[in-house]
Coordinates of all heavy atoms in Angstrom, one line a residue:
A425 N -9.5 9.6 -8.9 CA -10.7 10.0 -8.3 C -10.5 10.5 -6.9 O -11.1 11.4 -6.4 CB -11.8 8.9 -8.4
L426 N -9.6 9.7 -6.2 CA -9.4 10.0 -4.8 C -8.6 11.4 -4.7 O -8.9 12.2 -3.8 CB -8.5 8.9 -4.1 CG -8.2 9.0 -2.6 CD1 -9.5 9.1 -1.8 CD2 -7.3 7.9 -2.2
A427 N -7.6 11.6 -5.6 CA -6.9 12.8 -5.6 C -7.9 14.0 -5.9 O -7.8 15.0 -5.3 CB -5.8 12.7 -6.6
A428 N -8.7 13.8 -6.9 CA -9.7 14.9 -7.2 C -10.6 15.2 -6.1 O -10.9 16.4 -5.9 CB -10.5 14.4 -8.5
R429 N -11.0 14.2 -5.4 CA -12.0 14.5 -4.2 C -11.3 15.1 -3.1 O -11.8 16.0 -2.4 CB -12.7 13.2 -3.8 CG -13.6 13.4 -2.6 CD -14.3 12.1 -2.3 NE -15.3 11.7 -3.3 CZ -16.2 10.7 -3.2 NH1 -16.1 9.9 -2.1 NH2 -17.0 10.4 -4.2
T430 N -10.1 14.6 -2.7 CA -9.5 15.1 -1.5 C -8.5 16.2 -1.7 O -8.1 16.9 -0.7 CB -8.7 13.9 -0.9 OG1 -7.6 13.5 -1.8 CG2 -9.6 12.7 -0.6
G431 N -8.1 16.4 -3.0 CA -7.1 17.4 -3.2 C -5.7 17.0 -2.8 O -4.8 17.8 -2.9
E432 N -5.5 15.8 -2.4 CA -4.2 15.3 -2.0 C -3.5 14.6 -3.2 O -4.2 14.1 -4.1 CB -4.4 14.2 -0.9 CG -5.0 14.8 0.4 CD -5.2 13.7 1.5 OE1 -4.6 12.6 1.3 OE2 -5.8 14.0 2.5
N433 N -2.2 14.6 -3.1 CA -1.4 13.9 -4.2 C -1.3 12.4 -3.7 O -0.6 12.0 -2.8 CB 0.0 14.5 -4.2 CG 0.9 13.7 -5.2 OD1 0.4 13.0 -6.1 ND2 2.2 13.9 -5.0
V434 N -2.1 11.5 -4.4 CA -2.1 10.1 -4.1 C -1.0 9.4 -4.8 O -1.1 9.1 -6.0 CB -3.4 9.5 -4.4 CG1 -3.5 8.0 -4.0 CG2 -4.6 10.3 -3.8
R435 N 0.1 9.2 -4.2 CA 1.3 8.7 -4.8 C 1.2 7.3 -5.3 O 0.4 6.5 -4.7 CB 2.5 8.8 -3.9 CG 3.0 10.3 -3.6 CD 4.1 10.3 -2.7 NE 3.6 9.8 -1.3 CZ 4.3 10.0 -0.2 NH1 5.4 10.7 -0.2 NH2 3.8 9.5 1.0
T436 N 1.9 6.9 -6.3 CA 2.0 5.5 -6.8 C 3.5 5.1 -6.5 O 4.3 5.4 -7.4 CB 1.6 5.4 -8.2 OG1 0.2 5.8 -8.4 CG2 1.7 3.9 -8.6
P437 N 3.8 4.5 -5.4 CA 5.2 4.1 -5.2 C 5.7 3.2 -6.3 O 5.0 2.4 -6.9 CB 5.2 3.4 -3.9 CG 3.9 3.8 -3.2 CD 2.9 4.0 -4.4
P438 N 7.0 3.2 -6.6 CA 7.6 2.2 -7.5 C 7.6 0.9 -6.9 O 7.6 0.7 -5.7 CB 9.1 2.8 -7.7 CG 9.3 3.5 -6.4 CD 8.1 4.1 -6.0
V439 N 7.5 -0.1 -7.9 CA 7.4 -1.5 -7.4 C 8.8 -1.9 -6.8 O 9.8 -1.8 -7.5 CB 7.1 -2.5 -8.5 CG1 7.2 -3.9 -8.1 CG2 5.6 -2.2 -9.0
R440 N 8.9 -2.3 -5.6 CA 10.1 -2.8 -5.0 C 9.8 -4.2 -4.3 O 10.7 -4.8 -3.9 CB 10.7 -1.9 -4.0 CG 11.1 -0.5 -4.6 CD 12.2 0.1 -3.8 NE 13.4 -0.7 -3.8 CZ 14.3 -0.6 -2.8 NH1 14.1 0.2 -1.8 NH2 15.3 -1.4 -2.8
I441 N 8.5 -4.5 -4.2 CA 8.1 -5.8 -3.6 C 7.2 -6.5 -4.6 O 6.3 -5.9 -5.1 CB 7.3 -5.5 -2.3 CG1 8.1 -4.8 -1.3 CG2 6.8 -6.9 -1.7 CD1 7.3 -4.3 0.0
I442 N 7.5 -7.8 -4.8 CA 6.6 -8.7 -5.5 C 5.9 -9.6 -4.5 O 6.5 -10.1 -3.6 CB 7.4 -9.6 -6.5 CG1 8.0 -8.7 -7.6 CG2 6.4 -10.6 -7.2 CD1 9.0 -9.5 -8.5
H443 N 4.6 -9.7 -4.7 CA 3.8 -10.7 -3.8 C 3.2 -11.7 -4.7 O 2.6 -11.5 -5.7 CB 2.8 -10.0 -3.0 CG 2.1 -10.9 -2.1 ND1 2.6 -11.3 -0.9 CD2 0.9 -11.6 -2.2 CE1 1.8 -12.2 -0.3 NE2 0.8 -12.4 -1.1
L444 N 3.3 -13.0 -4.2 CA 2.6 -14.1 -4.9 C 1.5 -14.6 -3.9 O 1.7 -14.9 -2.8 CB 3.5 -15.3 -5.2 CG 4.7 -15.0 -6.2 CD1 5.5 -16.3 -6.4 CD2 4.1 -14.5 -7.5
G445 N 0.2 -14.6 -4.5 CA -0.9 -15.0 -3.7 C -1.8 -13.9 -3.3 O -2.1 -13.7 -2.1
L446 N -2.2 -13.0 -4.2 CA -3.0 -11.9 -3.9 C -4.4 -12.3 -3.4 O -5.2 -12.9 -4.2 CB -3.2 -11.0 -5.2 CG -4.2 -9.8 -5.1 CD1 -3.8 -8.9 -4.0 CD2 -4.2 -9.0 -6.4
G447 N -4.6 -12.1 -2.2 CA -5.9 -12.5 -1.6 C -6.2 -11.6 -0.3 O -5.4 -10.6 -0.1
A448 N -7.2 -11.9 0.4 CA -7.6 -11.1 1.5 C -6.5 -11.0 2.6 O -6.3 -9.9 3.2 CB -8.9 -11.6 2.1
F449 N -5.9 -12.2 2.9 CA -5.0 -12.1 4.0 C -3.7 -11.2 3.7 O -3.3 -10.4 4.5 CB -4.5 -13.5 4.4 CG -3.5 -13.5 5.5 CD1 -4.0 -13.3 6.8 CD2 -2.1 -13.6 5.3 CE1 -3.1 -13.2 7.9 CE2 -1.2 -13.5 6.4 CZ -1.7 -13.3 7.7
H450 N -3.2 -11.3 2.5 CA -2.1 -10.5 2.1 C -2.5 -9.0 2.3 O -1.7 -8.1 2.8 CB -1.7 -10.7 0.7 CG -0.8 -9.6 0.1 ND1 0.5 -9.4 0.6 CD2 -1.0 -8.7 -0.9 CE1 1.0 -8.4 0.0 NE2 0.2 -8.0 -1.0
R451 N -3.7 -8.6 1.9 CA -4.1 -7.2 2.0 C -4.4 -6.8 3.4 O -4.2 -5.6 3.7 CB -5.4 -7.0 1.1 CG -5.0 -7.0 -0.4 CD -6.2 -6.8 -1.2 NE -7.0 -8.0 -1.5 CZ -8.2 -8.1 -1.7 NH1 -9.0 -7.1 -1.7 NH2 -8.8 -9.3 -1.9
A452 N -4.8 -7.7 4.3 CA -5.0 -7.4 5.7 C -3.7 -7.4 6.5 O -3.6 -6.8 7.6 CB -5.9 -8.4 6.3
H453 N -2.6 -8.0 5.9 CA -1.4 -8.2 6.7 C -0.2 -7.5 6.1 O 0.1 -6.3 6.3 CB -1.1 -9.7 6.8 CG -0.2 -10.0 8.0 ND1 1.2 -10.1 7.8 CD2 -0.4 -10.2 9.3 CE1 1.8 -10.3 9.0 NE2 0.8 -10.4 9.9
Q454 N 0.5 -8.2 5.1 CA 1.8 -7.6 4.6 C 1.5 -6.2 3.9 O 2.3 -5.3 4.1 CB 2.5 -8.5 3.7 CG 2.8 -9.9 4.3 CD 1.7 -10.9 4.1 OE1 0.9 -10.9 3.2 NE2 1.6 -11.8 5.1
A455 N 0.5 -6.2 3.1 CA 0.2 -4.9 2.4 C -0.1 -3.8 3.4 O 0.2 -2.6 3.2 CB -0.9 -5.1 1.4
W456 N -0.9 -4.1 4.5 CA -1.3 -3.2 5.5 C 0.0 -2.7 6.2 O 0.2 -1.5 6.4 CB -2.2 -3.8 6.4 CG -2.6 -2.8 7.6 CD1 -3.6 -1.9 7.6 CD2 -1.9 -2.7 8.8 NE1 -3.6 -1.2 8.8 CE2 -2.6 -1.7 9.6 CE3 -0.8 -3.3 9.4 CZ2 -2.2 -1.3 10.8 CZ3 -0.5 -2.9 10.7 CH2 -1.2 -1.9 11.4
Y457 N 0.9 -3.6 6.6 CA 2.1 -3.2 7.3 C 2.9 -2.3 6.4 O 3.4 -1.2 6.9 CB 2.9 -4.4 7.7 CG 2.6 -5.1 9.0 CD1 1.6 -6.1 9.0 CD2 3.2 -4.7 10.2 CE1 1.3 -6.7 10.2 CE2 2.8 -5.3 11.4 CZ 1.9 -6.3 11.4 OH 1.6 -6.9 12.6
T458 N 3.1 -2.6 5.2 CA 3.8 -1.8 4.3 C 3.2 -0.4 4.1 O 3.9 0.7 4.2 CB 4.0 -2.4 2.9 OG1 4.6 -3.7 3.1 CG2 4.8 -1.6 1.9
D459 N 1.9 -0.4 4.0 CA 1.2 0.9 3.9 C 1.4 1.8 5.1 O 1.5 3.1 4.9 CB -0.3 0.6 3.7 CG -1.1 1.8 3.4 OD1 -1.0 2.4 2.3 OD2 -1.9 2.2 4.3
Q460 N 1.5 1.2 6.2 CA 1.6 2.0 7.5 C 2.9 2.7 7.6 O 3.0 3.7 8.3 CB 1.4 1.1 8.7 CG 0.0 0.5 8.9 CD -1.0 1.6 9.2 OE1 -0.9 2.3 10.2 NE2 -2.0 1.8 8.3
V461 N 4.0 2.2 7.0 CA 5.3 2.7 7.2 C 5.9 3.4 6.1 O 7.0 4.0 6.2 CB 6.2 1.6 7.8 CG1 5.6 0.9 9.0 CG2 6.5 0.5 6.7
D462 N 5.2 3.4 4.9 CA 5.9 3.9 3.7 C 5.6 5.4 3.5 O 4.9 5.8 2.5 CB 5.4 3.1 2.4 CG 6.2 3.4 1.2 OD1 7.4 3.9 1.3 OD2 5.7 3.1 0.1
D463 N 6.0 6.2 4.4 CA 5.7 7.6 4.4 C 6.2 8.3 3.2 O 5.6 9.3 2.7 CB 6.3 8.3 5.6 CG 5.7 7.8 6.9 OD1 4.6 7.2 6.9 OD2 6.4 7.9 8.0
N464 N 7.3 7.8 2.6 CA 7.9 8.5 1.5 C 7.6 7.9 0.1 O 8.1 8.3 -0.9 CB 9.5 8.5 1.6 CG 9.9 9.3 2.9 OD1 9.3 10.3 3.2 ND2 10.9 8.8 3.5

């Protein structure tokens, strides 16, 4: 839906990181840091 609306290619990177404990803090911290730097 995001790709259709924006016209951008919304990539799905391959899994290279496993995280245990999916919760709000992980998404505000480690997932955010990874998102910020994973340009490729």
Side-chain angles (χ1 to χ4, degrees):
L426 185 58
R429 176 177 290 183
T430 64
E432 299 177 8
N433 177 23
V434 184
R435 291 175 297 196
T436 302
V439 172
R440 297 206 63 204
I441 301 172
I442 295 172
H443 183 78
L444 295 183
L446 172 56
F449 181 76
H450 166 62
R451 285 178 279 152
H453 199 269
Q454 301 89 29
W456 178 88
Y457 274 93
T458 301
D459 184 70
Q460 291 294 299
V461 304
D462 192 21
D463 298 339
N464 298 321

